[in-house]
Amino acid sequence: MTDREPVDQTSGTSPAGRVTAEHSRRNFLTLAGAAGLGVAATGWALTPEAYAASATGTAAPSAAKGGRTAAPTFTPIRPPATPLAVRSPYLSTWMATDNLPGTWPTFWTGRITAMAGIAQIDGTAYVFLGAPALPNTDPLPTMRQVNLTVTGTSSVYTLEEAGVRVTVIFFSPVEPGDQRRQSAPLSYISATAKSVDGKAHDVGLYFDISGEWGYGDTSAEMTWAQTDIGTGANRLINLNYTPANPSVLAETNDTASWGTMVWTTQHRAGLTYQIGEDNVVRARVVNGGALDGSIDTAQPRAIDDRWPVFAFHLDLGSVRAATEPMVISIGHVREPAVSYLTTPLAPRWKTYFAVWQDMVAFFHRDWSAASKRATNLDDRIRGAARKAGGTQYAALVATALRQAYAGTELVTAPDGKAWAFLKEISSDGNVSTVDVTYPCMPVFLYLDPAYLGAILEPILQYAETGGWPKQFAEHDLGAHYPNADGHNDGNEEDMPVEESANMLIMSAAYLQRADAAAARKFATAHYTILKQWSDYLVGNALDPGYQNQTDDFTGFIAHSVNLALKGIIGIGAMSVVATTAGKSGDAAHYLGVARDYIKQWVTKSTDTSGKHLKLAYDQDGTWSLKYNGYSDKLLGLGLVPTTVAAEEARWYLARAGTYGVPLDIRHTYTKADWEMWTAAWLSDQPKITSRLIQGLYTFGNTTPSRVPFSDWYDTTTDRQSGFQARPVVGGFYALLTV
């Protein structure tokens, strides 16, 4: 990874705020989001009513409590940005303010991906999502948000106005162990209405999306259509659009330049739809009417040419009790998904479905069952996280789950097996960057080790058969997603010790958790290349030369203590690989080398004060977070002496501030993933583990940098230093793996 291409570094303004000016002709509302930071509630569940109440059984706030100006509450954290539809590198839309109404949702870059929600209540239209407005009219009134609850898989907004409560759930499934479901690039939105004043109310719910979801340049032209999927009681109404001039396997502003946006709901009584100019379509609903089922014929046309929107409206009639949910699915479908050494690869869902319409039908029918699975997964993660690190830790892993998985996607390899590719989001955009996969590793180890194996396979295969010319491991599979073109000329961002050790450690961790037969097959198939990298480490890891490493924004470094530690653990990891492959002699050799090196490492690394380890062997009086100690604990190698770990814990504790512990002595910034790796490594020292969790939670809960969770932030200013939306937040799960 690198800091050469930071995206949307924020000065405290939300991404939506930064881009609103250039879209001013769309008549945005400019309502300021309430900045309430109420954090409470120690539990949550998936049902709308349970979401609206805390685990203690107290009711969710109502309009009668606190008045119109009451700030919303947040359970269990006020996220820097809230995931709405976050399912793949190209389906990644967020709300970067506290409130659902009043601001447009955005792509992870801060570019608007508009979605509007309007509730008709007794003849009056209220905005509950986005910032729709009509020309030459007063601003539309908004519903009052009373609560936002975030789980690993869902973001649940509760809003009230005029005696009606509307609950909107943005649900992006995570399906460990289920390739068919995990490979679907789709997400759910559901909404219910309920009277909260004891009276019946006439209610209608309206949703629309703009063309901005499907292309990264609003001047690009698109075409659209309405499609029925299924018949009779199973009939789905699908609205879809695609670039008029697609560029396959290319990006525009980090958005795919090919593919189809799909927007689908169940046909039912009271449902109407329309595709047309935003002001025309929304005016029908604002003025009390239904949509007319028309499809605008003025196509192809640019996304910003009269802003075509794709709209559904459901007339719920007279409402007292909670209504049946209105469920919409949204997705971005691409064929092919990526390329590998110039060969296009199909998305994995094509293994199970002939066409995207079949996949959408399956996904939509699966909503109820998927919701139950998600409840169980959220409960499992929350319970384990509380036990491991408390309620604040549970909040952190909840914020990380969708962001981590959405940086990856499943495809079908040339031999028909499942591969997974990862995008280095918001830094270089590389394909399957090894030192970005490495910090992600804990979430996959905890939930689905086979998924980690699917990510490692193409990286290993490229080094084995694809033309990689160097002795050490490659940095990535391609300069820019979605094209894994490799680096057969050897010209890449070399990190020799870093990437070689990363691959060995990840492979060993996978082998320890994989099915025994799968582990033996993996270790045997990849033994030669893993041994080559291990032998490189034997010759170079104890005292690394002037090399680049994963924290490359800090610059190259010679004699790095932390990099040496990683390399030594990588050698130890080879003993796990050798054992799994049935090569006991090699296993003993590599473990012996690692044990010999670690003794020398302790001597070289210890500061003359005797109180801590140094940043580099030749830099007395320096220090840094030795987060690589986590891998030693993860693999159970027992290399780092417990006395050294305890010494480091005391040192970090003395340097912990409100927002965390700096990465090293040179700067006040830190890395969120490495903080949680350090917390896991030092879990036997509960004081520092608790302080690291508390600092990161406080940053996430209070930072004015409203971007998808940044992993690079300043511990004194509470602001993002760089990076956002990256899958490395999967590292938050480190404590759950030990």
Side-chain angles (χ1 to χ4, degrees):
M1 69 184 174
T2 182
D3 64 335
R4 291 196 301 269
E5 301 176 37
V7 175
D8 277 316
Q9 309 296 317
T10 157
S11 59
T13 318
S14 74
R18 292 198 299 277
V19 295
T20 294
E22 67 191 62
H23 290 73
S24 59
R25 70 170 297 277
R26 302 179 59 187
N27 301 308
F28 292 161
L29 295 179
T30 55
L31 302 178
L37 299 177
V39 179
T42 56
W44 55 95
L46 193 60
T47 62
E49 293 308 308
Y51 268 127
S54 73
T56 60
T58 57
S62 69
K65 298 178 181 179
R68 177 71 192 175
T69 60
T73 58
F74 301 90
T75 309
I77 190 172
R78 183 233 66 177
T82 303
L84 301 185
V86 178
R87 192 84 161 107
S88 80
Y90 300 131
L91 186 66
S92 185
T93 283
W94 304 72
M95 182 56 72
T97 57
D98 289 348
N99 289 306
L100 193 62
T103 306
W104 289 118
T106 59
F107 191 56
W108 67 260
T109 61
R111 178 182 60 79
I112 289 174
T113 43
M115 177 184 287
I118 300 172
Q120 294 172 315
I121 304 174
D122 298 325
T124 300
Y126 299 92
V127 174
F128 64 81
L129 165 60
L134 296 178
N136 304 314
T137 64
D138 292 333
L140 299 175
T142 60
M143 299 193 75
R144 182 176 66 88
Q145 183 177 311
V146 295
N147 182 257
L148 166 62
T149 294
V150 176
T151 75
T153 61
S154 298
S155 303
V156 183
Y157 289 90
T158 305
L159 307 102
E160 294 182 357
E161 195 57 58
V164 171
R165 175 181 300 157
V166 173
T167 302
V168 186
I169 302 177
F170 296 90
F171 168 31
S172 295
V174 173
E175 303 278 6
D178 190 332
Q179 292 182 7
R180 177 175 58 167
R181 290 182 167 91
Q182 185 59 42
S183 63
L186 303 166
S187 186
Y188 298 106
I189 303 152
S190 64
T192 59
K194 176 185 178 181
S195 172
V196 291
D197 63 2
K199 301 176 183 178
H201 298 275
D202 289 329
V203 180
L205 297 176
Y206 167 93
F207 288 89
D208 74 39
I209 60 170
S210 74
E212 292 154 299
W213 287 69
Y215 202 84
D217 179 359
T218 58
S219 67
E221 292 188 334
M222 61 179 178
T223 60
W224 53 80
Q226 184 273 319
T227 304
D228 283 355
I229 301 176
T231 59
N234 293 322
R235 178 185 168 203
L236 301 175
I237 306 298
N238 172 265
L239 309 180
N240 58 82
Y241 59 91
T242 191
N245 300 291
S247 297
V248 178
L249 295 170
E251 287 187 344
T252 301
N253 295 325
D254 278 289
T255 304
S257 297
W258 82 110
T260 302
M261 280 301 304
V262 293
W263 176 241
T264 310
T265 195
Q266 182 78 38
H267 176 70
R268 57 193 281 191
L271 179 76
T272 54
Y273 64 87
Q274 189 170 346
I275 301 175
E277 181 181 347
D278 57 352
N279 291 332
V280 173
V281 176
R282 291 168 186 162
R284 294 188 64 88
V285 171
V286 169
N287 294 327
L291 303 179
D292 65 9
S294 64
I295 308 299
D296 195 325
T297 59
Q299 59 167 311
R301 77 172 188 253
I303 293 167
D304 61 4
D305 181 359
R306 291 161 288 158
W307 299 99
V309 296
F310 306 80
F312 293 121
H313 177 260
L314 180 62
D315 185 349
L316 296 170
S318 182
V319 170
R320 282 187 183 270
T323 61
E324 288 294 314
M326 178 185 186
V327 179
I328 304 174
S329 58
I330 186 170
H332 190 267
V333 180
R334 307 177 345 268
E335 296 183 55
V338 300
S339 71
Y340 174 72
L341 301 182
T342 73
T343 299
L345 301 183
R348 190 61 177 170
W349 61 262
K350 286 287 288 184
T351 303
Y352 309 98
F353 306 102
V355 293
W356 65 257
Q357 290 87 344
D358 294 342
M359 175 186 62
V360 168
F362 173 83
F363 184 83
H364 209 88
R365 288 194 303 268
D366 198 40
W367 174 78
S368 180
S371 298
K372 293 175 183 176
R373 291 193 302 273
T375 297
N376 292 336
L377 180 64
D378 290 339
D379 287 348
R380 170 190 162 194
I381 292 171
R382 181 173 61 254
R386 284 181 182 163
K387 185 176 180 180
T391 56
Q392 291 184 344
Y393 181 61
L396 289 171
V397 297
T399 65
L401 185 61
R402 281 169 282 174
Q403 182 171 323
Y405 268 85
T408 69
E409 57 184 336
L410 283 162
V411 304
T412 298
D415 64 0
K417 296 177 182 177
W419 279 359
F421 286 89
L422 174 148
K423 181 177 180 180
E424 185 183 330
I425 288 173
S426 91
S427 39
D428 254 1
N430 294 160
V431 182
S432 295
T433 309
V434 174
D435 63 294
V436 174
T437 305
Y438 181 63
C440 293
M441 170 179 64
V443 69
F444 304 129
L445 286 180
Y446 178 67
L447 289 177
D448 191 359
Y451 201 87
L452 176 62
I455 294 173
L456 295 176
E457 283 287 356
I459 302 172
L460 289 161
Q461 179 162 314
Y462 172 58
E464 292 161 342
T465 64
W468 173 241
K470 297 183 179 180
Q471 182 185 3
F472 49 80
E474 69 269 34
H475 171 267
D476 60 76
L477 290 182
H480 209 287
Y481 206 87
N483 296 298
D485 293 335
H487 300 279
N488 289 6
D489 60 0
N491 184 19
E492 55 129 41
E493 188 182 2
D494 284 350
M495 297 182 181
V497 169
E498 174 75 41
E499 309 299 27
S500 301
N502 288 342
M503 287 302 297
L504 284 156
I505 291 166
M506 288 191 288
S507 295
Y510 163 70
L511 293 175
Q512 289 181 333
R513 288 158 179 79
D515 169 84
R520 284 194 299 273
K521 185 176 181 180
F522 182 98
T524 301
H526 302 302
Y527 195 82
T528 299
I529 193 65
L530 292 171
K531 185 176 186 300
Q532 175 183 311
W533 292 339
S534 185
D535 289 340
Y536 172 82
L537 293 177
V538 169
N540 294 274
L542 178 59
D543 189 355
Y546 187 66
Q547 291 197 5
N548 203 0
Q549 36 70 56
T550 185
D551 302 318
D552 53 359
F553 47 86
T554 65
F556 279 60
I557 185 171
H559 318 302
S560 169
V561 170
N562 199 35
L563 186 59
L565 175 59
K566 176 180 287 186
I568 294 166
I569 295 169
I571 296 168
M574 187 62 202
S575 70
V576 176
V577 176
T579 298
T580 307
K583 298 182 181 294
S584 57
D586 281 356
H589 166 68
Y590 288 112
L591 186 58
V593 172
R595 286 172 173 168
D596 176 57
Y597 280 8
I598 204 73
K599 293 176 184 177
Q600 299 180 60
W601 175 83
V602 171
T603 300
K604 290 173 175 286
S605 301
T606 301
D607 189 77
T608 54
S609 68
K611 295 180 178 180
H612 60 86
L613 301 177
K614 294 178 281 190
L615 171 68
Y617 292 151
D618 60 345
Q619 296 183 27
D620 215 39
T622 62
W623 64 274
S624 66
L625 287 179
K626 302 302 184 293
Y627 53 81
N628 284 315
Y630 160 71
S631 296
D632 181 42
K633 189 167 189 174
L634 176 71
L635 299 179
L637 298 174
L639 295 173
V640 181
T642 56
T643 53
V644 171
E647 178 183 89
E648 287 294 281
R650 287 190 294 270
W651 187 258
Y652 303 154
L653 188 62
R655 278 138 195 86
T658 302
Y659 306 113
V661 179
L663 185 62
D664 61 47
I665 193 173
R666 297 171 292 178
H667 309 279
T668 57
Y669 58 61
T670 194
K671 286 288 267 82
D673 44 354
W674 299 145
E675 287 186 296
M676 292 301 96
W677 277 48
T678 305
W681 171 42
L682 300 175
S683 58
D684 296 333
Q685 307 290 326
K687 288 184 179 180
I688 185 57
T689 294
S690 178
R691 284 297 298 276
L692 286 164
I693 291 169
Q694 182 181 24
L696 183 56
Y697 175 89
T698 303
F699 163 73
N701 193 52
T702 64
T703 179
S705 301
R706 306 307 296 270
V707 299
F709 213 115
S710 173
D711 55 291
W712 181 17
Y713 71 93
D714 195 280
T715 61
T716 59
T717 67
D718 194 26
R719 293 180 181 271
Q720 173 194 27
S721 294
F723 303 155
Q724 61 201 49
R726 299 196 328 148
V728 301
V729 296
F732 293 4
Y733 281 71
L735 196 58
L736 292 176
T737 65
V738 295

